[in-house]
Amino acid sequence: MKKYLVQPDMKVKLSEWDPNDTSEFKGGKEQGQAEIEKLNHRLEELQELLFAEHRHKVLIVLQAMDTGGKDGAIRHVFEGVNPQGTRVANFKAPTAEELDHDYLWRVHRQVPAKGELVIFNRSHYEDVLVVRVHNLVPREVWETRFDQINEFEEMLAETGTTILKFYLHIDKDEQKERLQARLDDPNKHWKFRLGDLEERKLWSEYMQAYEDVLKKTSTDAAPWFIVPANHKWYRDLVISTILVNTLEGLKMKYPESAENLAGVVIE
Ligand code: ADP
């Protein structure tokens, strides 16, 4: 899965990244789904270990265009993990109170504590994406944020947080199909906003903003992965694999009891 990792300072042209790619798993959709199930079980064990050991903190950042599949990825990748010790933080348009603070204020409050796994469904990256595309603050302001974000994430990493950032990469045609599917199914109307069509018109501006994000904020402390996401099963498989491999790499252990349990008899 290394091929999806964005190396620090690597120039990214998203048009050269194939959103239909499934090349790292030859088995196709059905076998892929079976593989995801296996990874789900492994993730369940690893998350229990994370919680029990109470040492590491894990932060997963999900970013995507509308319909990119953040919600689906959360449902499928984290199926089975214990809600105790796992949390999803959603970042919507900031409230008046949030706007009165610096943009990282609301983000910092949501970062994982020891033993916790937190998924950011959108994140502080909105402050250099939607904010940039819609000119919500002047260029001089959002431009300084890349360094600030890198420093913030570096501080989190230095204080025990493992950070993985995933950009779910779909193309404009796939978005059209997904939007149309929402429009066609009354049970999906709740997900459809007319505003999504306005955002869609800004596709190339968003791509440019994402390219900058990926180039400037993929660091050793907090790497970005570009996940081919036109095929949902492959998207989930890539995220699960990277996450499980990363957690395995932490070499976590169940803590030993502070008391001497040898010879204890329960009457
Ligand atoms: P989602 O699309 O993630 O399922 P919503 O449909 O509620 O959730 O969209 C959340 C909206 O909040 C998005 O349009 C996003 O761009 C916007 N948003 C998030 N963070 C910010 C921010 N810092 N400034 C402005 N808008 C933001």
Side-chain angles (χ1 to χ4, degrees):
M1 299 287 167
K2 273 253 157 35
K3 70 190 274 196
Y4 303 125
L5 171 68
V6 180
Q7 302 292 346
D9 286 323
M10 179 172 150
K11 199 164 174 10
V12 176
K13 261 200 107 17
L14 281 168
S15 57
E16 291 166 4
W17 291 71
D18 179 10
N20 281 305
D21 183 20
T22 57
S23 60
E24 293 295 293
F25 191 79
K26 303 283 184 226
K29 182 174 175 178
E30 237 164 78
Q31 278 187 45
Q33 278 167 338
E35 186 62 26
I36 293 165
E37 246 176 74
K38 275 194 226 154
L39 288 164
N40 281 351
H41 288 301
R42 188 64 196 125
L43 182 60
E44 206 180 323
E45 291 164 358
L46 287 161
Q47 188 254 330
E48 174 161 315
L49 202 48
L50 176 78
F51 186 71
E53 196 192 39
H54 198 73
R55 187 156 76 97
H56 295 281
K57 310 155 182 175
V58 179
L59 174 60
I60 293 152
V61 174
L62 294 181
Q63 283 291 154
M65 295 295 283
D66 289 326
T67 77
K70 292 180 282 98
D71 294 340
I74 292 171
R75 253 196 336 272
H76 297 124
V77 173
F78 300 95
E79 198 180 285
V81 298
N82 188 344
Q84 178 140 275
T86 312
R87 180 157 62 79
V88 180
N90 290 289
F91 295 95
K92 310 250 173 197
T95 62
E97 189 193 19
E98 287 167 348
L99 282 173
D100 281 346
H101 291 82
D102 70 86
Y103 68 101
L104 291 173
W105 179 72
R106 65 174 184 163
V107 178
H108 203 172
R109 291 152 65 112
Q110 298 282 4
V111 301
K114 285 180 182 170
E116 217 182 5
L117 187 154
V118 173
I119 303 145
F120 278 7
N121 184 356
R122 300 188 189 269
S123 64
H124 42 301
Y125 285 99
E126 294 293 326
D127 293 286
V128 284
L129 289 163
V130 63
V131 165
R132 167 181 177 171
V133 170
H134 285 276
N135 292 312
L136 299 181
V137 300
R139 171 179 274 267
E140 310 82 83
V141 173
W142 60 255
E143 258 183 350
T144 59
R145 291 182 174 172
F146 296 110
D147 287 343
Q148 292 165 354
I149 287 173
N150 285 340
E151 280 169 23
F152 171 64
E153 292 178 351
E154 196 176 327
M155 181 277 291
L156 294 179
E158 280 171 358
T159 50
T161 311
T162 298
I163 306 173
L164 295 173
K165 303 183 294 199
F166 297 102
Y167 165 62
L168 313 185
H169 182 39
I170 59 166
D171 57 27
K172 210 176 167 189
D173 289 342
E174 181 67 21
Q175 188 192 54
K176 185 175 182 191
E177 273 184 37
R178 294 186 185 183
L179 285 171
Q180 190 64 50
R182 289 180 181 182
L183 207 50
D184 293 343
D185 179 353
N187 290 341
K188 286 190 180 162
H189 283 180
W190 65 277
K191 283 195 195 178
F192 191 92
R193 277 197 201 99
L194 286 172
D196 292 348
L197 302 182
E198 293 306 308
E199 290 302 282
R200 181 173 161 76
K201 291 183 190 153
L202 299 166
W203 186 275
S204 56
E205 285 83 348
Y206 271 106
M207 287 304 107
Q208 210 185 337
Y210 267 111
E211 285 171 354
D212 258 4
V213 162
L214 293 163
K215 176 176 187 295
K216 294 182 178 169
T217 64
S218 197
T219 59
D220 291 334
W224 274 107
F225 295 86
I226 299 177
V227 181
N230 274 6
H231 297 288
K232 295 173 182 172
W233 66 272
Y234 193 71
R235 166 199 79 201
D236 298 340
L237 189 58
V238 170
I239 299 172
S240 288
T241 305
I242 293 168
L243 178 56
V244 164
N245 287 346
T246 304
L247 293 179
E248 303 265 14
L250 294 180
K251 308 268 178 260
M252 297 182 283
K253 286 197 191 71
Y254 283 108
E256 289 178 20
S257 170
E259 293 161 301
N260 182 6
L261 300 182
V264 171
V265 177
I266 301 169
E267 292 182 354

